[in-house]
Amino acid sequence: MPASKLDQLCVNTIRTLSIDGVEKANSGHPGMPMGMADVAYVLWTKFLKHNPKNPDWYDRDRFILSAGHGSMLIYSLLHLTGYDLSLEEIKNFRQMGSKTPGHPEYGMTPGVETTTGPLGQGFGTGVGMAIAEHFLGAKFNKEDHKIVDHYTYAIVSDGDLMEGISHESASMAGHMGLGKLIYLYDSNRISIEGSTDITFTEDVTKRFEAYNWHVIEIDGHDHDQITSAIEEARSVQDKPSLVVCKTHIGFGSPNKQDKASSHGSPLGEEEIKLTKEAYGWENEEAFHIPTEALTKFREAVEKGKEAEERWNSAMKVYEGSFAKEAGQFKKWMSRKLSDELKNKLPVFEEDEKGMASRAASGKVINAIKDVVPNLFGGSADLGGSTKTDIEGYGSYIEDSPTGRTVHFGVREHGMGAAVNGMALHGGMVPYGATFFVFTDYMRPAIRLAALMKVPSIFVLTHDSIGLGEDGPTHQPVEHLASLRAMPNVTILRPADANETSHAWKAALENQTGPTLLVLTRQNLPTLSRNESNKAELVQKGAYIYSESEGDTPDTILIGTGSELQYAIEAKSLLKEEGVDARVVSMPSWELFEKQDATYKEKVLPAMVINRVSIEAGSTFGWQRYVGEKGTSVGINSFGESAPYEELYKHFGITTDAVVEAVLANNRR
């Protein structure tokens, strides 16, 4: 059935704002907003629970534009429905300093729930948001008191469904039965290179039905069909829904509808004129918003206010009946950590045999699980290896919707995006775990976590050639260097069990970006501690583990993770050679760089130029700490398959290598 005259006017207002924004910027993607305007209009005016005047209201529905190239669609919707996004910002689309960047960015534009652009990331992130809603609802809702009750919607594209992450994430969501996850698929059959007939001919409906999704196919320009489909999707509570919306990219453009030319380029002045005439647009002035349309859209302000007020009232009733749960709920939402955390961190006795830092991490997780009761996570089918299961609370879904150990399956990319989604949703302290080498499969999600400044935690074990016999395919060599190059990522590679305890504390306290805990497979000695080298100094990124005998050391030995022990041993051997050494533990470059100049000079005094670093990874980047006259002991080739003790000797990552490097520096 055709839309009403007013509805059509509103839809065309979305279209023309999008067209004009792209044209003024002379850059962007007009076709998708033109094609999906009908679907977006129905969703936003009839179903989406949101408050434009309080974008962060907790129980709002989450909306994700996974097809982030169509960003003018969400910017038009946000402006029209009354968010703090002015028409001037719409006119400044893709310009320096505007709130309307080329792809939606979390934290920049009110109402944008996650950064999208790399296709498939929004799809995967939405799965994490739906997991959070499901878990928190099961945890806090009572039979007649639902304080967690919202949907996660997304508009996804052909490109999203082609990307590998969509396969992982869709499989995960279907297995978990996330009934409040509804994706609206813009099936316009056009990508940059032309018709999807040249690349994408699978039966999407059958594919998603095989994933255990509820699938509905509709005409994406028929408002009655759109309304019925969303209502049907909302009624299906035991599986996620995909609404396949058959649409026309560049809808209404006489010469560019259904053509790739409308995908990623402005329509052009003449085509815009013809398109607006096809819409029956009487006023051809750019960025024109009819009063009747704006009045209709701005109904969202009052509706949103009323929805939030109803929730606030329900929350007060909940507090009166369930005071303990209400207090816990508010604390979880605040992201505040318990004052008891420090007291619950395990302290490990000095032990020459020690334990692997992955094993120590597992002990930390289970020591703090009750003082961080919203700690929630798991691994990519590696729980036994990464030691990341939370004991005593069961598995999420398999045992209970309130289970705290998540089985993500062999889906690192989907896991990374889901962890980000949980962190963005709020109320959770989420983590995901895998072998360090497999960050290659989750790098886009780590990068977006850094860009968005969200506190995702990634536990990455088997961190070097120290994993041994599995060989070079599983031995990360370049990964520390490459991830250290990524802005706003905090990496910690602890040297023993006690450093691991405080590395976890640093991760939990980092609220402005992702933290990577890089841990060993092999045992590490639990080191001697005193007041001057307490493990809590991990949070400074680097500290003096063992001081020189003189006021100024002859050399500084810098070790990270499993290699600190070799620096400690080298200090004793160098003493026999008459060299007075200082040993520095440097578990985190990023935390060290946050310290003031005085502290950094204290740890690494500029006058000491004989410096040696030792790390079982690429030496790339270490020059910033060892200087031009220093030496880095590491590995700059791929590994080998052999017991790890043999590998360390084979690649020269040994105490003797550290000693020789110091002496060679002295001989220069």
Side-chain angles (χ1 to χ4, degrees):
M1 182 180 293
S4 72
K5 185 176 180 180
L6 177 58
D7 288 341
Q8 197 61 59
L9 182 70
C10 290
V11 170
N12 286 337
T13 301
I14 296 171
R15 288 177 174 138
T16 56
L17 274 183
S18 300
I19 290 169
D20 291 339
V22 171
E23 186 68 21
K24 186 173 186 295
N26 194 30
S27 174
H29 301 72
M32 180 276 199
M34 295 164 71
M36 280 299 281
D38 289 295
V39 173
Y41 172 72
V42 172
L43 175 65
W44 276 62
T45 59
K46 291 189 176 182
F47 295 99
L48 195 69
K49 183 175 65 171
H50 63 122
N51 184 357
K53 299 307 178 186
N54 184 10
D56 297 326
W57 164 45
Y58 172 71
D59 203 42
R60 68 192 183 280
D61 290 336
R62 271 57 169 182
F63 172 77
I64 298 170
L65 186 68
S66 189
H69 55 276
S71 56
M72 272 306 306
L73 176 63
I74 191 170
Y75 298 150
S76 297
L77 289 163
L78 291 170
H79 170 71
L80 291 168
T81 56
Y83 284 77
D84 183 19
L85 191 69
S86 68
L87 187 59
E88 196 60 33
E89 293 288 357
I90 299 293
K91 294 177 181 179
N92 286 332
F93 179 53
R94 290 189 166 219
Q95 303 309 299
M96 180 70 73
S98 76
K99 293 182 181 179
T100 50
H103 293 82
E105 294 185 32
Y106 173 75
M108 178 175 288
T109 312
V112 169
E113 299 282 2
T114 183
T115 297
T116 53
L119 289 172
Q121 284 296 320
F123 189 114
T125 303
V127 172
M129 291 181 179
I131 291 171
E133 193 278 341
H134 186 226
F135 172 82
L136 293 167
K139 174 70 177 176
F140 290 105
N141 288 344
K142 307 299 180 182
E143 187 172 348
D144 297 318
H145 300 80
K146 289 190 175 181
I147 60 170
V148 182
D149 187 16
H150 50 267
Y151 289 84
T152 300
Y153 297 98
I155 288 178
V156 303
S157 64
D158 290 307
D160 286 295
L161 300 195
M162 288 189 227
E163 288 286 0
I165 187 174
S166 75
H167 298 255
E168 295 183 22
S169 300
S171 175
M172 188 190 309
H175 169 73
M176 293 176 174
L178 300 174
K180 297 176 87 170
L181 183 68
I182 300 173
Y183 284 176
L184 304 157
Y185 165 35
D186 177 21
S187 180
N188 63 41
R189 302 168 297 285
I190 295 292
S191 61
I192 291 174
E193 293 183 354
S195 169
T196 54
D197 288 345
I198 64 174
T199 56
F200 188 54
T201 54
E202 68 202 45
D203 188 325
V204 170
T205 294
K206 288 182 179 177
R207 170 186 156 192
F208 275 78
E209 286 175 344
Y211 287 144
N212 192 41
W213 284 56
H214 176 66
V215 184
I216 312 161
E217 295 187 22
I218 64 167
D219 177 346
H221 302 295
D222 185 312
H223 288 209
D224 286 346
Q225 288 190 35
I226 298 166
T227 300
S228 296
I230 297 174
E231 287 174 342
E232 181 180 329
R234 286 164 60 97
S235 72
V236 177
Q237 294 292 301
D238 61 345
K239 58 179 67 176
S241 291
L242 183 74
V243 181
V244 181
C245 307
K246 301 292 185 180
T247 63
H248 296 282
I249 192 171
F251 184 91
S253 171
N255 298 299
K256 296 192 175 183
Q257 178 175 307
D258 296 329
K259 294 181 180 178
S261 57
S262 71
H263 174 84
S265 302
L267 296 184
E269 186 176 336
E270 183 58 32
E271 190 66 17
I272 288 175
K273 184 176 183 296
L274 295 173
T275 302
K276 288 184 176 180
E277 287 175 358
Y279 294 157
W281 212 245
E282 296 177 5
N283 190 332
E284 295 182 3
E285 178 186 350
F287 301 102
H288 172 65
I289 302 174
T291 302
E292 312 95 289
L294 187 61
T295 299
K296 174 66 176 176
F297 279 113
R298 289 291 163 90
E299 290 175 1
V301 173
E302 187 60 30
K303 287 170 63 177
K305 178 184 176 184
E306 291 173 357
E308 183 173 357
E309 287 176 348
R310 285 194 299 272
W311 184 79
N312 287 337
S313 296
M315 189 66 198
K316 286 182 180 178
V317 174
Y318 184 88
E319 288 181 88
S321 301
F322 309 100
K324 180 180 177 182
E325 290 90 338
Q328 189 175 46
F329 176 79
K330 288 183 176 181
K331 187 172 183 179
W332 287 22
M333 295 309 123
S334 73
R335 288 183 172 174
K336 290 182 179 177
L337 295 171
S338 169
D339 294 335
E340 289 297 305
L341 174 62
K342 184 175 181 180
N343 297 330
K344 290 293 183 178
L345 293 175
V347 177
F348 300 90
E349 295 296 323
E350 182 180 351
D351 182 357
E352 185 176 342
K353 179 182 178 183
M355 67 180 72
S357 53
R358 62 168 176 158
S361 170
K363 292 182 182 297
V364 176
I365 288 171
N366 284 289
I368 66 174
K369 63 189 176 187
D370 292 326
V371 293
V372 189
N374 50 345
L375 186 66
F376 178 91
S379 75
D381 197 47
L382 291 167
S385 295
T386 59
K387 311 297 182 186
T388 44
D389 291 353
I390 299 176
E391 298 168 2
Y393 287 91
S395 297
Y396 174 67
I397 297 297
E398 280 69 27
D399 294 328
S400 164
T402 58
R404 291 171 61 186
T405 296
V406 187
H407 302 288
F408 289 105
V410 188
R411 305 183 182 103
E412 280 87 359
H413 201 173
M415 174 182 72
V419 169
N420 289 347
M422 287 182 261
L424 286 163
H425 180 279
M428 316 280 283
V429 179
Y431 64 88
T434 187
F435 289 179
F436 189 32
V437 75
F438 298 136
T439 52
D440 286 339
Y441 288 155
M442 58 195 295
R443 186 175 298 267
I446 295 173
R447 185 174 187 273
L448 281 185
L451 182 61
M452 292 188 286
K453 302 178 182 179
V454 296
S456 299
I457 298 174
F458 299 106
V459 181
L460 307 166
T461 67
H462 297 59
D463 69 345
S464 71
I465 58 170
L467 73 86
E469 292 87 346
D470 276 344
T473 61
H474 282 53
Q475 293 167 3
V477 173
E478 75 280 16
H479 296 68
L480 279 165
S482 64
L483 287 164
R484 283 170 176 156
M486 192 179 290
N488 199 40
V489 173
T490 299
I491 302 169
L492 290 113
R493 188 169 184 252
D496 74 346
N498 287 306
E499 281 199 359
T500 304
S501 266
H502 288 276
W504 259 105
K505 184 173 182 287
L508 293 167
E509 291 177 344
N510 180 15
Q511 294 294 310
T512 58
T515 303
L516 279 53
L517 299 176
V518 180
L519 310 171
T520 66
R521 174 181 183 260
Q522 74 273 26
N523 280 8
L524 307 179
T526 304
L527 303 172
S528 172
R529 299 283 169 184
N530 54 50
E531 278 301 306
S532 65
N533 66 6
K534 295 182 291 187
E536 64 189 57
L537 291 168
V538 161
Q539 298 194 60
K540 289 188 174 293
Y543 63 96
I544 300 169
Y545 174 80
S546 179
E547 185 56 286
S548 59
E549 294 182 1
D551 292 337
T552 303
D554 299 324
T555 185
I556 298 175
L557 312 178
I558 310 170
T560 81
S562 46
E563 288 69 64
L564 180 63
Q565 60 183 307
Y566 303 123
I568 295 169
E569 292 170 358
K571 174 182 169 67
S572 297
L573 295 179
L574 285 167
K575 184 178 180 179
E576 297 174 7
E577 300 286 339
V579 178
D580 190 13
R582 169 186 290 178
V583 176
V584 169
S585 176
M586 184 177 274
S588 175
W589 288 15
E590 298 77 24
L591 291 180
F592 184 62
E593 288 303 320
K594 290 181 179 180
Q595 308 310 310
D596 61 34
T598 301
Y599 181 79
K600 288 194 280 189
E601 173 64 18
K602 176 184 175 183
V603 176
L604 299 176
M607 65 184 299
V608 182
I609 61 174
N610 188 343
R611 302 181 185 183
V612 174
S613 67
I614 179 165
E615 183 172 71
S618 169
T619 61
F620 185 84
W622 269 106
Q623 191 177 63
R624 72 187 298 183
Y625 295 119
V626 301
E628 293 183 3
K629 296 186 178 180
T631 302
S632 292
V633 175
I635 173 172
N636 291 305
S637 66
F638 291 114
E640 298 280 351
S641 178
Y644 81 90
E645 299 93 339
E646 294 180 27
L647 291 171
Y648 270 75
K649 292 176 183 177
H650 175 75
F651 288 107
I653 303 174
T654 62
T655 301
D656 289 343
V658 177
V659 171
E660 177 53 36
V662 171
L663 298 178
N665 288 344
N666 277 340
R667 290 194 292 268
R668 289 181 186 174

